[in-house]
Amino acid sequence: MSDILDHEIKELLQQNRLEQAFELVMNSYKERLYWHIRNMVVFHEDADDVLQNSLIKIWRNLSNFEGRSKVYSWCYRIASNEALNFLEKRKRKKLTSLDDDNHSISNALIADEYFDGDAASAILLEAVGSLPEKQRQVFNMKYFEDLKYSEISEILQLSEGGLKASYHHAVKKIEEFVRINHEQLNHLKN
Amino acid sequence: MHEKDFKDIPRNKAQGSIEGMKVPEGYFDTVDRQIWDVIHREKLEDKVLPLNFSNHDSYSQIWPKLAVAATLIMAFFSVVTNFSGKDSELIQAEHYVYEVNLEDASLFVDDELLADNLSLAELEMLEVANKYVSSDEIMEYLKEESMSEYMLIENLNF
């Protein structure tokens, strides 16, 4: 199914029907791209900004797409980079630091209108947020988005071995984070 | 509370995210329209050459702006030059005066006109030049010229 879609988009690009190709890209991929971005940046408003930036960037570069990878992988890569850039800027601005020790992420999530998960979910997101950015990417793509290592390898242009190692380290850190913070978790629940 | 394994925390597999993450109602229906609005706005802006410099300008976009700026500056100065309140014929006459010889021209141009249109320094130069041109000197000059012509004719008869 995704191969047929990929082929269809590439056909439109070869015929220089850019607007139709982009329409197809948007309709087919915007939700997956959104959730990928949201997993990285956590809050809906931020994810909305990053998604729009990503789609605009995809549009601007569509005529230059050479077709060497799948269209989805290419779009995913753009969205990933935009999310990472956003996180970098946010860290510099220190508006809501994901490395904050005071559980600002989980507290902010509990209060956020676009999050109605429980305290445990908030702590898990905080744990993921504490990972180095590249490791966070790999973890999200494997654990939440359920992508295969081969797919992640194509998107991030990293070796499957490296990805497996990265994921393994991420899991260990998250387990440790959740274990240490289970008391905090109780506090949030109460 | 027993230690929680993070894998027990529910996920939303359809979304590919943790359970509990929401979006505003109809959000994904409106995203397309917003993006197309931005794209169409950019297309319109491309047709009008922006004069503001932003960080996203590449060098290839700066050169046309510089060209426009240079053209405007040249047009401005040509307008200012032409807008000195002088008649265009008078300006041409001025240029002729400079090209020919300032001293010679002063013999044929009205003093008042010269005074009106030449600068003080230029007038002073003229006065100095005219000081040394008397009628006797003019006659001498003319004789010399005719002598040289006579000599030229003499030489040709050889």
Side-chain angles (χ1 to χ4, degrees), chain A residues 144-178:
Chain A
F144 289 120
E145 295 159 50
D146 205 25
L147 294 177
K148 296 176 195 161
Y149 282 119
S150 57
E151 290 171 314
I152 302 172
S153 172
E154 191 185 333
I155 290 164
L156 297 183
Q157 306 279 285
L158 297 170
S159 68
E160 287 188 36
L163 291 170
K164 285 174 186 170
S166 196
Y167 180 71
H168 174 76
H169 288 307
V171 166
K172 290 289 170 208
K173 283 180 188 172
I174 287 170
E175 282 173 345
E176 186 66 15
F177 189 101
V178 171

Side-chain angles (χ1 to χ4, degrees), chain A residues 38-53:
Chain A
R38 181 84 184 261
N39 286 336
M40 291 287 288
V41 306
V42 177
F43 299 99
H44 165 69
E45 287 82 9
D46 298 335
D48 179 39
D49 285 344
V50 176
L51 177 67
Q52 293 207 29
N53 291 342

Side-chain angles (χ1 to χ4, degrees), chain B:
Chain B
M1 184 194 162
H2 65 86
E3 283 182 11
K4 202 167 184 82
D5 186 346
F6 79 88
K7 289 172 187 170
D8 294 333
I9 298 167
R11 287 176 276 175
N12 186 324
K13 293 210 171 172
Q15 283 174 181
S17 72
I18 204 164
E19 188 64 57
M21 278 193 172
K22 304 287 176 210
V23 292
E25 187 137 348
Y27 169 71
F28 290 114
D29 298 327
T30 60
V31 164
D32 297 39
R33 193 173 63 244
Q34 286 174 341
I35 297 300
W36 281 121
D37 282 348
V38 172
I39 289 170
H40 292 141
R41 201 165 45 242
E42 277 186 2
K43 280 186 179 177
L44 285 172
E45 283 171 3
D46 281 346
K47 289 179 183 171
V48 175
L49 194 66
L51 291 178
N52 61 311
F53 288 84
S54 75
N55 291 333
H56 297 291
D57 279 341
S58 67
Y59 283 110
S60 64
Q61 290 180 347
I62 286 172
W63 285 116
K65 293 172 192 172
L66 287 175
V68 167
T71 306
L72 287 172
I73 290 166
M74 281 170 59
F76 171 76
F77 279 111
S78 70
V79 165
V80 167
T81 307
N82 288 336
F83 222 68
S84 58
K86 296 180 187 177
D87 187 73
S88 61
E89 284 181 359
L90 188 58
I91 293 164
Q92 284 176 18
E94 269 186 76
H95 291 156
Y96 180 75
V97 164
Y98 282 116
E99 278 173 19
V100 176
N101 186 296
L102 207 55
E103 296 108 45
D104 290 340
S106 68
L107 298 172
F108 304 102
V109 178
D110 184 58
D111 284 349
E112 217 172 281
L113 197 60
L114 278 173
D116 282 344
N117 293 290
L118 297 180
S119 69
L120 199 60
E122 285 161 355
L123 283 171
E124 281 172 1
M125 272 173 60
L126 269 179
E127 281 171 19
V128 167
N130 286 342
K131 218 186 205 175
Y132 298 104
V133 180
S134 66
S135 54
D136 288 338
E137 283 168 327
I138 292 169
M139 287 306 294
E140 277 297 319
Y141 171 78
L142 288 171
K143 276 183 198 171
E144 279 172 20
E145 283 294 296
S146 56
M147 279 300 292
S148 61
E149 273 183 11
Y150 175 77
M151 284 174 71
L152 191 64
I153 292 164
E154 283 284 290
N155 288 332
L156 285 173
N157 286 335
F158 271 11

